[in-house]
Amino acid sequence: HDALYCAIWTFSPAISRAKYCHSVDLHFCPHDLMYPDSADYPDLRKHNNCMASHLTPAIYAKLVDKATPNGYTLDQAIQTGVDNPGHPFIKTVGMVAGDEESYEVFADLLDPVIKERHNGYDPQTMTHPTDLDSSKLKSGKFDERYVLSSRVRTGRSIRGLSLPPACTRAERREVEKVVVDALAGLKGDLAGTYYSLTHMTDQEQQQLIDDHFLFDKPVSPLLTCSGMARDWPDARGIWHNNTKTFLIWINEEDHTRVISMEKGGNMKRVFDRFCTGLKEVERLIQEKGWEFMWNERLGYILTCPSNLGTGLRAGVHVNLPKLSKDPRFTKILDNLRLQKRGTGGVDTAAVGSTFDISNLDRLGQSEVQLVQTVVDGVNYLIECEKKLEKGQDIKIPPPVRK
Amino acid sequence: MEKINDKMAKLTIKRLSPEEEFPDLSQHNNHMAKVLTQDMYTKLRDRATPNGFTIDGVIQTGIDNPGHPFIMTVGCVAGDEETYEVFKELLDPIIEDRHGGYKPTDKHKTDLNPDNLKGGDDLDPNYVISSRVRTGRSIRGFCLPPHCSRGERRGVEKMSVEALDSLSGDLKGKYYALKNMTDAEQQQLIDDHFLFDKPVSPLLLASGMARDWPDGRGIWHNDTKTFLVWVNEEDHLRVISMQKGGNMKEVFNRFCTGLTKIETLFKDKGTSFMWNEHLGYVLTCPSNLGTGLRAGVHVKIPNMSKHAKFEEVLKRLRLQKRGTGGVDTAAVGGTFDISNADRLGFSEVELVQMVVDGVKLLVEMEKKLEKGQSIDDLMPAQK
């Protein structure tokens, strides 16, 4: 009886248009034969995102009948970009990866998207340097009359399990299990506790909110349209160490987001802990036969192509009352390869004159290089602020090496 | 693919067990959560419809929306006509619970002959502000909104617009594609209360039916603005007949005439509406099976609605109240949307008859209460 409803059980990496078919290996879907690819090509005329800029009908036709070994398809990868046309001033990426293989199978689209988003980085010819040796960082202690807090974040994906847009409930639970088991092995100032979103008590929830640690179900359509919020809050949680300086989000936009942070300006210590913590977690998962998704073409593999390479955002909350009102502020930031955000994070406005300043780049430079860029850049901004306080003039710095 | 290492390929081929995949429904209150057991999931997980729709697709909206202690949502959708067959073990008990004990062996009667409606042309317009009948239709051979591809959705739009464009007389009208309408057209449609927008309800979004918005979506209405069709919102087609005042008979006449004409046009093109003698008309949400029909009025019943027996009366008449903004809105100033509670197991004529007779009674009761009289002798029997 079941045979009437199940298609053929042939496993094939290149299968035609298997929509949302995680658990069934379909050989072909008969109804796909009814429509030419042009009938399914999305209408992107009002769109302004990287996917829309590069998805030609020819590329669509070439990739639409492919799927990764997990059954993830092009239509799924681009859904978020189709559903979110974008903003004339802010160019979003417009697509996601459902698994590690997405970056190979859909390379004809992802490579140009990556190249545009990451300033010309060409995945076909270049290699990405990974360097988590924090001892190489020079200076890294900011003037605390200006810098209020320091933070470094990245993401890591567990090889062999699909990414949040495509993972099944069991895979997501597996990610949680693998990571939580590893975190339980952390010691010393890294020792901590896991709080599952499903099981936390009201008291724990309140404490996490007060600490500004709690993440909630995403509301941004950029994220929800990719399918990453399915089954919320199943297998989602927050781990942090007892001193609240090392924090891990599980199964939000990525398998893991790893955050090291402190009040004050000691970026060096924040980065030290970041690197130590990451390496420890990696060692602990390797003991159990797992590893992170990484390759030398793209560095660390994450859900959004914008986070490839290092996935690293190192930043500070810094007070720059005079500099932020100077008309040259934006150009200075650009040349320093820095980005400003409000203190609520991406897409928020600054409160007063306190800004979140962080690195623009993610791919093509190592972790050490990017944190150094932030250290050097923020020091320069503070120097400018001090000069303006004294009534002296400031200079726009030459563009740093990209 | 040769660049990907051995370990990766091995891990991805592994299939995780149904026990590991089974959703956590411990906080949930919807029909799907009530019915879905581990054994059922294990069995259904190995199936897919011919279009590749799976159990996870069916239940995703119910997992993502645990529901409300007082309001029992359905918690699942169909991705195509075959869903109702392939996932029978899950859907039959849900249908039975939702549709008042409707059994898998029951037959549903379709009756779109408006001559069979008795009365209905004289609901008191001092109380009944407007009358409306809506239903949905799905075009056989195309996947439903949760699962359709862009090509299919556009195919539904094209075929529907061709059919609607050939309507004539008082049904003659025009199509407004959501993505092409001018600002002036958009404003007019808003003023007419015709415009539908991208759904915001997570119940709908979680099923995937809002993908690619607004591609393939639009609104068609006749020149007199009494017959309206939504294309590719929650269903392939939503068909609405409406007018001010209490002449439900005229509304229903137009409804039946329009639907029958549209169906004929589709048959001429070699297809038909999804329909079978067990489930009647097949739609995306199991709650809309059978007739998919909601016949209702906006009626002023400020006294009746405050009466202690209001809910009981509605229950006996098999009617449902809503605010005038539609489902999940509150009533404004004693004006309610009153409509049939049932969809499946009764014919269209029977349901509209219940509304006509029931609203007539409610208005009588309202008049009595206005005069300070009792309504006890008007209490109806359970239908």
Side-chain angles (χ1 to χ4, degrees):
Chain A
H1 178 78
D2 281 346
L4 285 176
Y5 301 112
C6 307
I8 300 151
W9 295 96
T10 315
F11 174 75
S12 167
I15 55 182
S16 70
R17 218 83 59 83
K19 288 185 268 280
Y20 308 107
C21 294
H22 300 297
S23 54
V24 178
D25 302 328
L26 294 183
H27 186 61
F28 73 96
C29 291
H31 92 286
D32 294 331
L33 303 175
M34 282 160 60
Y35 292 94
D37 300 318
S38 56
D40 277 311
Y41 181 73
D43 182 350
L44 301 171
R45 288 171 297 171
K46 298 210 171 101
H47 287 59
N48 181 42
N49 57 53
C50 297
M51 178 279 292
S53 297
H54 296 283
L55 184 66
T56 61
I59 293 181
Y60 184 79
K62 184 175 177 191
L63 297 179
V64 75
D65 286 330
K66 294 196 164 37
T68 69
N70 299 307
Y72 195 67
T73 64
L74 180 72
D75 282 332
Q76 288 174 284
I78 65 173
Q79 191 67 61
T80 179
V82 175
D83 289 345
N84 295 288
H87 189 277
F89 302 157
I90 303 170
K91 197 161 187 182
T92 44
V93 174
M95 66 185 297
V96 291
D99 51 22
E100 188 163 8
E101 297 86 338
S102 294
Y103 287 102
E104 306 290 328
V105 175
F106 307 120
D108 285 324
L109 176 59
L110 275 159
D111 284 354
V113 164
I114 289 167
K115 197 167 177 185
E116 177 180 349
R117 179 64 179 210
H118 294 282
N119 301 301
Y121 183 88
D122 186 351
Q124 288 168 14
T125 55
M126 297 179 178
T127 55
H128 168 81
T130 290
D131 185 356
L132 284 159
D133 180 358
S134 59
S135 68
K136 292 181 186 156
L137 189 71
K138 300 193 202 21
S139 335
K141 291 199 178 125
F142 298 118
D143 186 334
E144 292 188 347
R145 289 173 295 172
Y146 299 88
V147 173
L148 307 173
S149 61
S150 308
R151 182 184 187 266
V152 183
R153 70 85 159 153
T154 187
R156 291 288 186 264
S157 310
I158 309 294
R159 177 162 279 165
L161 296 168
S162 294
L163 295 170
C167 65
T168 66
R169 277 180 296 280
E171 286 183 294
R172 197 185 298 113
R173 291 162 178 170
E174 188 78 11
V175 168
E176 183 188 37
K177 185 171 181 305
V178 168
V179 176
V180 171
D181 280 352
L183 294 170
L186 290 175
K187 298 187 185 354
D189 78 315
L190 289 178
T193 309
Y194 180 62
Y195 303 90
S196 131
L197 250 57
T198 322
H199 297 133
M200 67 175 63
T201 65
D202 286 344
Q203 207 181 336
E204 288 168 341
Q205 187 176 333
Q206 195 51 53
Q207 186 61 56
L208 287 164
I209 290 172
D210 295 340
D211 291 328
H212 304 288
F213 282 173
L214 188 64
F215 67 88
D216 206 355
K217 182 170 180 176
V219 294
S220 165
L222 295 174
L223 297 177
T224 53
C225 288
S226 73
M228 47 141 303
R230 287 169 301 127
D231 315 310
W232 203 276
D234 196 312
R236 273 82 168 192
I238 294 162
W239 179 99
H240 69 77
N241 67 350
N242 299 327
T243 43
K244 298 183 183 178
T245 53
F246 193 63
L247 166 69
I248 298 186
W249 291 355
I250 295 180
N251 285 318
E252 197 239 11
E253 179 186 335
D254 280 295
H255 283 174
T256 67
R257 284 290 179 92
V258 179
I259 301 150
S260 171
M261 59 204 254
E262 289 181 19
K263 290 254 183 274
N266 198 340
M267 181 61 91
K268 175 118 180 73
R269 191 164 62 199
V270 169
F271 189 46
D272 281 340
R273 185 182 311 108
F274 177 82
C275 295
T276 305
L278 271 173
K279 286 184 209 146
E280 252 311 274
V281 173
E282 183 160 28
R283 187 187 68 77
L284 288 161
I285 66 168
Q286 280 169 342
E287 271 180 1
K288 302 267 168 71
W290 298 90
E291 55 186 13
F292 292 142
M293 291 183 194
W294 179 92
N295 66 57
E296 59 170 17
R297 209 169 66 94
L298 297 174
Y300 289 102
I301 303 293
L302 294 175
T303 302
C304 182
S306 71
N307 282 320
L308 290 166
T310 60
L312 185 140
R313 193 170 91 84
V316 297
H317 283 184
V318 59
N319 248 336
L320 301 167
K322 292 188 152 47
L323 180 58
S324 59
K325 291 190 195 68
D326 191 296
R328 293 164 286 186
F329 185 40
T330 303
K331 184 73 178 131
I332 293 172
L333 289 174
D334 281 350
N335 283 8
L336 295 172
R337 300 300 302 162
L338 296 177
Q339 181 189 56
K340 76 177 194 288
R341 300 182 181 192
T343 52
V346 69
D347 299 330
T348 66
V351 175
S353 51
T354 306
F355 286 83
D356 177 314
I357 303 288
S358 63
N359 52 294
L360 263 173
D361 303 303
R362 304 270 183 273
L363 172 66
Q365 290 190 76
S366 74
E367 289 80 356
V368 167
Q369 286 172 316
L370 291 177
V371 180
Q372 192 67 62
T373 303
V374 172
V375 164
D376 297 345
V378 170
N379 278 332
Y380 190 88
L381 294 175
I382 292 172
E383 286 312 304
C384 287
E385 183 69 22
K386 287 175 175 171
K387 284 203 161 118
L388 291 173
E389 281 171 13
K390 294 190 203 125
Q392 294 167 358
D393 196 21
I394 59 173
K395 276 209 193 59
I396 296 175
V400 304
R401 180 184 63 86
K402 273 208 323 197
Chain B
M1 299 278 277
E2 64 280 351
K3 286 183 270 191
I4 300 168
N5 70 37
D6 284 347
K7 190 188 288 191
M8 192 189 312
K10 235 187 293 186
L11 286 166
T12 55
I13 291 169
K14 161 182 93 160
R15 273 186 72 176
L16 297 165
S17 76
E19 287 74 24
E20 288 167 314
E21 293 289 4
F22 191 69
D24 178 356
L25 300 172
S26 53
Q27 308 295 316
H28 288 59
N29 183 45
N30 57 52
H31 285 292
M32 180 278 290
K34 261 176 87 171
V35 168
L36 185 69
T37 60
Q38 176 69 67
D39 283 346
M40 191 186 283
Y41 182 77
T42 302
K43 186 172 181 187
L44 296 180
R45 188 179 166 259
D46 282 344
R47 301 182 190 169
T49 69
N51 299 305
F53 198 59
T54 64
I55 187 66
D56 286 329
V58 175
I59 64 177
Q60 191 66 57
T61 178
I63 298 172
D64 289 345
N65 297 288
H68 190 276
F70 304 155
I71 301 168
M72 189 84 160
T73 45
V74 174
C76 63
V77 291
D80 52 21
E81 189 166 10
E82 295 85 344
T83 299
Y84 289 100
E85 259 311 297
V86 174
F87 302 111
K88 265 178 100 49
E89 287 90 334
L90 173 68
L91 289 163
D92 281 349
I94 290 175
I95 289 166
E96 189 163 347
D97 202 1
R98 178 68 176 206
H99 293 282
Y102 193 81
K103 300 211 178 337
T105 47
D106 285 342
K107 300 266 183 284
H108 171 80
K109 196 174 131 208
T110 293
D111 181 1
L112 282 160
N113 183 351
D115 295 338
N116 291 340
L117 182 72
K118 299 189 196 42
D121 54 353
D122 61 350
L123 298 173
D124 190 336
N126 292 314
Y127 294 84
V128 177
I129 302 165
S130 59
S131 307
R132 180 184 188 266
V133 182
R134 70 86 159 152
T135 188
R137 290 290 186 264
S138 309
I139 305 179
R140 182 160 276 167
F142 293 87
C143 289
L144 296 170
H147 191 54
C148 65
S149 67
R150 277 181 292 277
E152 287 182 292
R153 198 185 298 112
R154 292 161 177 172
V156 166
E157 183 190 35
K158 184 167 183 296
M159 206 177 251
S160 303
V161 172
E162 274 172 21
L164 293 165
D165 278 347
S166 57
L167 291 175
S168 59
D170 78 315
L171 290 178
K172 181 169 165 316
K174 191 173 164 194
Y175 181 65
Y176 303 88
L178 249 57
K179 69 177 178 178
N180 292 333
M181 64 175 64
T182 66
D183 287 344
E185 287 169 339
Q186 188 176 334
Q187 195 53 53
Q188 187 61 57
L189 287 165
I190 290 172
D191 295 340
D192 291 329
H193 305 288
F194 282 172
L195 187 64
F196 67 88
D197 205 358
K198 183 169 179 176
V200 293
S201 166
L203 295 173
L204 298 178
L205 295 175
S207 73
M209 48 142 301
R211 286 169 302 128
D212 315 310
W213 203 275
D215 197 314
R217 276 86 169 188
I219 293 164
W220 181 98
H221 68 79
N222 65 350
D223 297 335
T224 44
K225 298 184 184 177
T226 53
F227 193 68
L228 167 69
V229 179
W230 291 355
V231 179
N232 284 318
E233 195 238 11
E234 180 186 333
D235 282 295
H236 284 171
L237 301 171
R238 283 287 178 97
V239 179
I240 302 150
S241 171
M242 59 204 249
Q243 65 197 55
K244 293 256 183 265
N247 195 343
M248 183 62 92
K249 188 151 182 62
E250 196 170 75
V251 169
F252 189 53
N253 277 359
R254 186 184 310 111
F255 177 81
C256 296
T257 306
L259 269 176
T260 311
K261 284 216 162 95
I262 295 170
E263 181 151 30
T264 308
L265 294 163
F266 276 110
K267 289 203 171 117
D268 290 343
K269 290 181 185 301
T271 183
S272 57
F273 292 145
M274 290 184 195
W275 179 95
N276 64 61
E277 60 172 13
H278 166 53
L279 295 177
Y281 289 102
V282 174
L283 294 175
T284 302
C285 182
S287 70
N288 281 321
L289 290 166
T291 61
L293 185 141
R294 194 171 90 84
V297 298
H298 284 186
V299 60
K300 285 191 265 206
I301 42 172
N303 294 293
M304 188 59 209
S305 57
K306 291 195 200 73
H307 196 282
K309 294 223 172 76
F310 183 44
E311 300 289 341
E312 178 62 20
V313 169
L314 289 177
K315 184 167 167 295
R316 292 188 189 184
L317 294 173
R318 304 193 73 91
L319 297 177
Q320 180 187 61
K321 75 178 199 286
R322 298 181 181 192
T324 51
V327 69
D328 298 330
T329 64
V332 176
T335 303
F336 283 80
D337 176 315
I338 301 291
S339 63
N340 52 293
D342 303 297
R343 303 274 183 272
L344 173 67
F346 298 91
S347 74
E348 289 81 355
V349 167
E350 285 170 344
L351 292 176
V352 180
Q353 193 70 64
M354 277 185 224
V355 173
V356 160
D357 297 345
V359 169
K360 211 163 183 174
L361 181 63
L362 286 170
V363 170
E364 263 190 74
M365 288 175 156
E366 180 67 20
K367 288 174 175 171
K368 282 231 157 155
L369 291 173
E370 275 172 17
K371 297 193 203 117
Q373 293 168 0
S374 154
I375 54 166
D376 289 345
D377 58 334
L378 289 177
M379 286 297 287
Q382 175 68 54
K383 279 196 178 298

PDB file of all heavy atoms in Angstrom, chain A residues 337-353:
ATOM      1  N   ARG A 337      37.838  50.277   7.594  1.00  0.00           N
ATOM      2  CA  ARG A 337      37.126  48.994   7.402  1.00  0.00           C
ATOM      3  C   ARG A 337      36.294  48.660   8.642  1.00  0.00           C
ATOM      4  O   ARG A 337      36.277  47.526   9.126  1.00  0.00           O
ATOM      5  CB  ARG A 337      38.091  47.839   7.100  1.00  0.00           C
ATOM      6  CG  ARG A 337      38.953  47.983   5.869  1.00  0.00           C
ATOM      7  CD  ARG A 337      38.207  48.118   4.565  1.00  0.00           C
ATOM      8  NE  ARG A 337      37.294  47.005   4.267  1.00  0.00           N
ATOM      9  CZ  ARG A 337      36.307  47.071   3.382  1.00  0.00           C
ATOM     10  NH1 ARG A 337      36.087  48.183   2.708  1.00  0.00           N
ATOM     11  NH2 ARG A 337      35.548  46.016   3.160  1.00  0.00           N
ATOM     12  N   LEU A 338      35.622  49.689   9.159  1.00  0.00           N
ATOM     13  CA  LEU A 338      34.757  49.489  10.326  1.00  0.00           C
ATOM     14  C   LEU A 338      33.312  49.826   9.972  1.00  0.00           C
ATOM     15  O   LEU A 338      33.047  50.531   9.001  1.00  0.00           O
ATOM     16  CB  LEU A 338      35.226  50.385  11.480  1.00  0.00           C
ATOM     17  CG  LEU A 338      36.612  50.096  12.040  1.00  0.00           C
ATOM     18  CD1 LEU A 338      36.964  51.109  13.129  1.00  0.00           C
ATOM     19  CD2 LEU A 338      36.704  48.665  12.591  1.00  0.00           C
ATOM     20  N   GLN A 339      32.423  49.337  10.801  1.00  0.00           N
ATOM     21  CA  GLN A 339      30.986  49.527  10.590  1.00  0.00           C
ATOM     22  C   GLN A 339      30.388  50.033  11.890  1.00  0.00           C
ATOM     23  O   GLN A 339      30.791  49.590  12.972  1.00  0.00           O
ATOM     24  CB  GLN A 339      30.402  48.159  10.258  1.00  0.00           C
ATOM     25  CG  GLN A 339      28.932  48.105   9.986  1.00  0.00           C
ATOM     26  CD  GLN A 339      28.450  46.655   9.886  1.00  0.00           C
ATOM     27  OE1 GLN A 339      28.640  45.854  10.791  1.00  0.00           O
ATOM     28  NE2 GLN A 339      27.803  46.327   8.790  1.00  0.00           N
ATOM     29  N   LYS A 340      29.413  50.947  11.796  1.00  0.00           N
ATOM     30  CA  LYS A 340      28.743  51.375  13.019  1.00  0.00           C
ATOM     31  C   LYS A 340      27.332  50.791  13.063  1.00  0.00           C
ATOM     32  O   LYS A 340      26.682  50.617  12.036  1.00  0.00           O
ATOM     33  CB  LYS A 340      28.700  52.899  13.109  1.00  0.00           C
ATOM     34  CG  LYS A 340      27.669  53.571  12.211  1.00  0.00           C
ATOM     35  CD  LYS A 340      27.689  55.082  12.459  1.00  0.00           C
ATOM     36  CE  LYS A 340      26.467  55.757  11.862  1.00  0.00           C
ATOM     37  NZ  LYS A 340      26.467  55.823  10.392  1.00  0.00           N
ATOM     38  N   ARG A 341      26.891  50.499  14.269  1.00  0.00           N
ATOM     39  CA  ARG A 341      25.514  50.049  14.506  1.00  0.00           C
ATOM     40  C   ARG A 341      25.043  50.705  15.787  1.00  0.00           C
ATOM     41  O   ARG A 341      25.844  51.231  16.563  1.00  0.00           O
ATOM     42  CB  ARG A 341      25.449  48.533  14.712  1.00  0.00           C
ATOM     43  CG  ARG A 341      25.946  47.716  13.538  1.00  0.00           C
ATOM     44  CD  ARG A 341      25.796  46.225  13.823  1.00  0.00           C
ATOM     45  NE  ARG A 341      26.294  45.429  12.689  1.00  0.00           N
ATOM     46  CZ  ARG A 341      26.098  44.121  12.545  1.00  0.00           C
ATOM     47  NH1 ARG A 341      25.418  43.442  13.453  1.00  0.00           N
ATOM     48  NH2 ARG A 341      26.593  43.474  11.499  1.00  0.00           N
ATOM     49  N   GLY A 342      23.758  50.653  16.034  1.00  0.00           N
ATOM     50  CA  GLY A 342      23.231  51.102  17.318  1.00  0.00           C
ATOM     51  C   GLY A 342      23.585  50.067  18.373  1.00  0.00           C
ATOM     52  O   GLY A 342      23.945  48.936  18.051  1.00  0.00           O
ATOM     53  N   THR A 343      23.432  50.424  19.634  1.00  0.00           N
ATOM     54  CA  THR A 343      23.841  49.492  20.672  1.00  0.00           C
ATOM     55  C   THR A 343      22.839  48.352  20.868  1.00  0.00           C
ATOM     56  O   THR A 343      23.056  47.463  21.669  1.00  0.00           O
ATOM     57  CB  THR A 343      24.086  50.212  22.010  1.00  0.00           C
ATOM     58  OG1 THR A 343      22.914  50.999  22.299  1.00  0.00           O
ATOM     59  CG2 THR A 343      25.286  51.126  21.914  1.00  0.00           C
ATOM     60  N   GLY A 344      21.748  48.347  20.114  1.00  0.00           N
ATOM     61  CA  GLY A 344      20.830  47.208  20.152  1.00  0.00           C
ATOM     62  C   GLY A 344      21.215  46.155  19.150  1.00  0.00           C
ATOM     63  O   GLY A 344      20.522  45.154  18.991  1.00  0.00           O
ATOM     64  N   GLY A 345      22.314  46.379  18.398  1.00  0.00           N
ATOM     65  CA  GLY A 345      22.715  45.404  17.397  1.00  0.00           C
ATOM     66  C   GLY A 345      22.332  45.835  15.983  1.00  0.00           C
ATOM     67  O   GLY A 345      21.980  46.999  15.754  1.00  0.00           O
ATOM     68  N   VAL A 346      22.372  44.889  15.071  1.00  0.00           N
ATOM     69  CA  VAL A 346      22.117  45.212  13.664  1.00  0.00           C
ATOM     70  C   VAL A 346      20.732  45.836  13.518  1.00  0.00           C
ATOM     71  O   VAL A 346      19.770  45.456  14.178  1.00  0.00           O
ATOM     72  CB  VAL A 346      22.261  43.942  12.792  1.00  0.00           C
ATOM     73  CG1 VAL A 346      21.146  42.930  13.049  1.00  0.00           C
ATOM     74  CG2 VAL A 346      22.347  44.286  11.315  1.00  0.00           C
ATOM     75  N   ASP A 347      20.638  46.832  12.628  1.00  0.00           N
ATOM     76  CA  ASP A 347      19.368  47.516  12.346  1.00  0.00           C
ATOM     77  C   ASP A 347      18.799  48.284  13.535  1.00  0.00           C
ATOM     78  O   ASP A 347      17.591  48.488  13.611  1.00  0.00           O
ATOM     79  CB  ASP A 347      18.299  46.533  11.818  1.00  0.00           C
ATOM     80  CG  ASP A 347      18.729  45.882  10.505  1.00  0.00           C
ATOM     81  OD1 ASP A 347      19.471  46.516   9.743  1.00  0.00           O
ATOM     82  OD2 ASP A 347      18.330  44.727  10.270  1.00  0.00           O
ATOM     83  N   THR A 348      19.632  48.684  14.495  1.00  0.00           N
ATOM     84  CA  THR A 348      19.129  49.589  15.539  1.00  0.00           C
ATOM     85  C   THR A 348      19.871  50.909  15.438  1.00  0.00           C
ATOM     86  O   THR A 348      20.958  50.980  14.856  1.00  0.00           O
ATOM     87  CB  THR A 348      19.309  49.018  16.965  1.00  0.00           C
ATOM     88  OG1 THR A 348      20.706  48.927  17.258  1.00  0.00           O
ATOM     89  CG2 THR A 348      18.677  47.652  17.094  1.00  0.00           C
ATOM     90  N   ALA A 349      19.287  51.944  16.040  1.00  0.00           N
ATOM     91  CA  ALA A 349      19.933  53.254  15.996  1.00  0.00           C
ATOM     92  C   ALA A 349      20.769  53.455  17.249  1.00  0.00           C
ATOM     93  O   ALA A 349      20.497  52.859  18.284  1.00  0.00           O
ATOM     94  CB  ALA A 349      18.860  54.324  15.907  1.00  0.00           C
ATOM     95  N   ALA A 350      21.750  54.323  17.136  1.00  0.00           N
ATOM     96  CA  ALA A 350      22.589  54.611  18.310  1.00  0.00           C
ATOM     97  C   ALA A 350      21.774  55.396  19.331  1.00  0.00           C
ATOM     98  O   ALA A 350      20.896  56.173  18.975  1.00  0.00           O
ATOM     99  CB  ALA A 350      23.816  55.409  17.890  1.00  0.00           C
ATOM    100  N   VAL A 351      22.085  55.173  20.597  1.00  0.00           N
ATOM    101  CA  VAL A 351      21.428  55.919  21.670  1.00  0.00           C
ATOM    102  C   VAL A 351      22.417  56.933  22.202  1.00  0.00           C
ATOM    103  O   VAL A 351      23.520  56.568  22.608  1.00  0.00           O
ATOM    104  CB  VAL A 351      20.996  54.962  22.803  1.00  0.00           C
ATOM    105  CG1 VAL A 351      20.425  55.745  23.963  1.00  0.00           C
ATOM    106  CG2 VAL A 351      19.976  53.966  22.273  1.00  0.00           C
ATOM    107  N   GLY A 352      22.043  58.200  22.186  1.00  0.00           N
ATOM    108  CA  GLY A 352      22.999  59.230  22.583  1.00  0.00           C
ATOM    109  C   GLY A 352      24.142  59.204  21.590  1.00  0.00           C
ATOM    110  O   GLY A 352      23.929  59.230  20.383  1.00  0.00           O
ATOM    111  N   SER A 353      25.346  59.141  22.082  1.00  0.00           N
ATOM    112  CA  SER A 353      26.465  59.077  21.144  1.00  0.00           C
ATOM    113  C   SER A 353      27.268  57.806  21.348  1.00  0.00           C
ATOM    114  O   SER A 353      28.449  57.769  21.051  1.00  0.00           O
ATOM    115  CB  SER A 353      27.330  60.309  21.303  1.00  0.00           C
ATOM    116  OG  SER A 353      27.635  60.452  22.674  1.00  0.00           O
TER     117      SER A 353
END
